[in-house]
Amino acid sequence: MRYRTIGTTPATRREVSVLSLGAMLFGSVTDEATSFAILDRFVEAGGTFIDTSGNYAFWTDGSQGGHSEELLGRWRRSRGVGREIVIATKVGGRPLAPGTSYTDNAEGLSAKVIRESAERSMERMGLDRIDVLYSHIEDPRTPVEETVEGFAALVAEGLVGMLGVSNHAAWRVERARALAKQRGLPGYEILQYAHSYLRPRLDMPDALFRDGNLGTAGPDLLTYLREERELVLVAYSPLLSGRYTRTDKEFPPDFRHPGVDARLAKVREIAAETGATVNQVVLAWQMGHEVPIVPLAGASSVAQLEENLAAVDLELTPEQRAALDATH
């Protein structure tokens, strides 16, 4: 395993594995025995960065979520896992009532909700401190000042290490970070967005989320990351839920354009050159990107995890990387 530093200050920096394991479906779609086996193998391979959320996976049974965190808590207790494993979770996207959606009935980002959600996550996972706490989705109803102060209070009390933000417009991220800096408060240090080698059209509304609240790390956000070099992008859905290789899964409408065909052909060509799988090339391309990127890849079996882990040791040549980047 290789490792990368995340965090912008000496007090918060942590060394984490260059590959993060997504636990979104653990304890729901992925049964406990399989989830434990995947987690055990990830740690055995040197993995130290695991991602979850307090609302995972509410959509599987019409609940408010909590399945993933509860499973991670059982796994931590049964294995004696401590601070050596960095666990990131999220607040703000939990449905307020069972059977509702986080796009129109989310808990939001008030100071009260931030504290209650963080405490609930710590209890589920058996933690006395959350390593990374993300603001999961935008909450236009709550003043940004309240959100910034709510997160900062948890950091000041030692209940949270680093702060992150996911699925917010780049201008909202900058506004919150600028306000935190102005007031001498901790701000967002890690950004989590959908990002992969294949790129969606940007002239279509995001098919998954309402009002453009959630979605892809587009040019504006990538430009922001190039300017703010201390920030790290945690890239979720790097393998597009298997669509690089699975013929039974169609691409969504925003991925149906000639650029996808050209890039898909190129990544397959590089995979053939290297003797690696297409998925491994995609993950290796992200890990060596000019913008600091930690791919966040889920797995529903140990075999899938093994494929992802092998990408850590795949070194693309400068020529291969240039060919991938130049394809449009």
Side-chain angles (χ1 to χ4, degrees):
M1 183 58 69
R2 294 185 288 116
Y3 300 89
R4 179 188 291 278
T5 301
I6 59 173
T8 62
T9 66
T12 62
R13 288 186 189 123
R14 295 290 302 271
E15 290 289 314
V16 298
S17 51
V18 294
L19 180 69
S20 179
L21 176 62
M24 182 171 69
L25 298 179
F26 290 178
S28 55
V29 175
T30 307
D31 64 69
E32 183 153 322
T34 303
S35 300
F36 275 35
I38 293 168
L39 288 161
D40 289 344
R41 176 60 188 132
F42 182 66
V43 172
E44 180 185 48
T48 62
F49 199 14
I50 298 172
D51 185 271
T52 186
S53 175
N55 71 345
Y56 292 161
F58 73 88
W59 57 91
T60 62
D61 60 1
S63 67
Q64 292 173 281
H67 314 69
S68 176
E69 289 185 336
E70 289 168 357
L71 181 134
L72 287 172
R74 293 192 296 272
W75 172 73
R76 289 188 69 257
R77 295 179 184 99
S78 68
R79 304 309 195 249
V81 172
R83 290 292 311 283
E84 69 277 9
I85 302 299
V86 175
I87 296 181
T89 192
K90 311 174 191 74
V91 301
R94 179 174 178 261
L96 283 173
T100 62
S101 171
Y102 65 130
T103 57
D104 55 15
N105 195 34
E107 62 185 352
L109 294 170
S110 68
K112 179 175 183 291
V113 164
I114 290 169
R115 179 172 295 276
E116 290 177 349
S117 295
E119 290 174 348
R120 189 164 49 241
S121 292
M122 286 189 286
E123 181 178 358
R124 285 174 177 152
M125 293 188 284
L127 298 170
D128 57 12
R129 172 185 169 95
I130 296 172
D131 297 307
V132 181
L133 184 63
Y134 288 100
S135 170
H136 201 167
I137 62 174
E138 294 179 350
D139 176 12
R141 301 164 300 180
T142 300
V144 65
E145 293 84 356
E146 180 178 349
T147 298
V148 167
E149 291 171 358
F151 279 117
L154 297 182
V155 175
E157 294 170 33
L159 299 178
V160 172
M162 280 172 276
L163 299 175
V165 59
S166 183
N167 307 312
H168 285 50
W171 67 267
R172 286 188 187 273
V173 176
E174 173 57 20
R175 177 173 292 180
R177 294 185 70 238
L179 178 64
K181 183 176 181 180
Q182 178 186 5
R183 299 192 177 188
L185 300 174
Y188 298 137
E189 301 179 70
I190 307 173
L191 280 60
Q192 185 179 134
Y193 290 77
H195 180 270
S196 188
Y197 177 65
L198 300 184
R199 299 178 297 200
R201 287 176 54 181
L202 299 177
D203 59 343
M204 295 179 65
D206 194 318
L208 295 177
F209 308 111
R210 189 172 301 173
D211 297 329
N213 284 341
L214 309 182
T216 302
D220 56 342
L221 194 81
L222 292 173
T223 298
Y224 184 67
L225 285 160
R226 289 186 182 98
E227 292 295 322
E228 302 293 325
R229 299 297 297 182
E230 76 277 13
L231 299 177
V232 172
L233 173 64
V234 173
Y236 72 78
S237 296
L239 303 177
L240 300 176
S241 300
R243 289 182 174 88
Y244 281 93
T245 57
R246 289 182 56 175
T247 57
D248 61 318
K249 299 190 77 169
E250 290 187 358
F251 285 101
D254 48 340
F255 277 87
R256 297 173 195 164
H257 60 86
V260 163
D261 297 334
R263 285 204 145 202
L264 192 54
K266 180 55 65 175
V267 74
R268 286 171 174 166
E269 176 186 321
I270 300 301
E273 287 180 8
T274 60
T277 68
V278 169
N279 288 340
Q280 288 165 350
V281 172
V282 172
L283 295 175
W285 173 79
Q286 286 189 320
M287 286 184 273
H289 202 281
E290 61 168 321
V291 170
I293 295 177
V294 176
L296 168 56
S300 59
S301 68
V302 173
Q304 285 185 356
L305 175 64
E306 294 288 3
E307 180 184 6
N308 296 344
L309 288 170
V312 173
D313 297 321
L314 176 60
E315 292 287 345
L316 300 176
T317 67
E319 293 76 18
Q320 289 168 338
R321 184 168 293 280
L324 287 167
D325 291 339
T327 304
H328 297 286

